Amino acid sequence: MKQLVIAIDGYSSCGKSTTAKAVAQLLHYAYVDTGAMYRAVTLYLLESQIAFTDLPRIEQALREISISFRRNRRTGRNELFLNGVNREDDIRQMRISNSVSEVSVIPMVRHAMVAQQQKMGGKRGVVMDGRDIGTTVFPDAEVKIFMTAEVELRARRRQDELAEKGEIVPLEDIIENLRKRDYLDSTRAESPLRRAPDAVLLDTTHITITEQVDFVLDRVSSALFAAGWD
């Protein structure tokens, strides 16, 4: 059976990653969390004390950064490795969330990450979630989903995720962070967050993860049927 590229775009904390991981596992596809890649760059810049306006140093840093994903056999998680070191938990910290949108608007950062993402998905059979997969990274993706949800619900989901890692953050702070990220992601000049014309809208406010996964799998079945690949 010919394999597809499944692009899942949308706002933060809508369930993109959870849904994408589940779909990838069920289809035996590769999974790439592109947002984690931008978080890794943000982490590297912060730890290297490189200002987000220092383009020459950022350009050099991008040559020093190696990003990969490995599946943790014990937990089943797909974890990010930065220069060979597992930094999955570090990139999920609130301090990274507060800065990642500023880093992701830098053109040279986006160009570098998009090139890596296109290489990762070059052989198809991949589920990618992010902000610009269906518009910039894989505009020819056979399945495109655009996810959204009410901001307060997104904030509560994010608050629960942080609490599980021992980071307690007031809900108001998370709502403010999400609104800031939404604005920056949607208004940036380079690959802004937007729904591709052929992407199907999925509002996750009142549905379960299982329903989200089923929704995507239905679109996959439709794509395979339409192309005569089933």
Side-chain angles (χ1 to χ4, degrees), residues 98 102 175-185:
N98 285 333
E102 295 178 58
I175 290 175
E176 181 181 355
N177 169 259
L178 289 175
R179 285 178 172 157
K180 175 187 174 183
R181 291 182 63 188
D182 290 349
Y183 175 78
L184 291 174
D185 289 343

Side-chain angles (χ1 to χ4, degrees), residues 37-57:
M37 297 173 71
Y38 290 101
R39 285 175 172 271
V41 174
T42 303
L43 177 65
Y44 187 90
L45 296 182
L46 289 173
E47 291 187 339
S48 302
Q49 298 184 330
I50 298 175
F52 300 160
T53 54
D54 192 341
L55 299 185
R57 290 193 68 193

Side-chain angles (χ1 to χ4, degrees), residues 5 15 32 50 55 69 98 115 123 131 138 151 155 159 161 182 184 207-208 210 213 215:
V5 170
V32 178
I50 298 175
L55 299 185
F69 293 93
N98 285 333
K123 295 182 179 180
R131 304 290 192 281
F138 282 103
V151 68
Q159 187 180 49
E161 291 170 1
D182 290 349
L184 291 174
I207 64 174
T208 66
T210 298
V213 172
F215 182 93

Side-chain angles (χ1 to χ4, degrees), residues 100-113:
V100 65
S101 289
E102 295 178 58
V103 173
S104 64
V105 301
I106 302 170
M108 67 177 66
V109 172
R110 295 212 72 83
H111 295 165
M113 294 301 102

Side-chain angles (χ1 to χ4, degrees), residues 108-122:
M108 67 177 66
V109 172
R110 295 212 72 83
H111 295 165
M113 294 301 102
V114 167
Q116 287 194 37
Q117 292 154 17
Q118 290 174 331
K119 185 176 180 179
M120 290 175 178

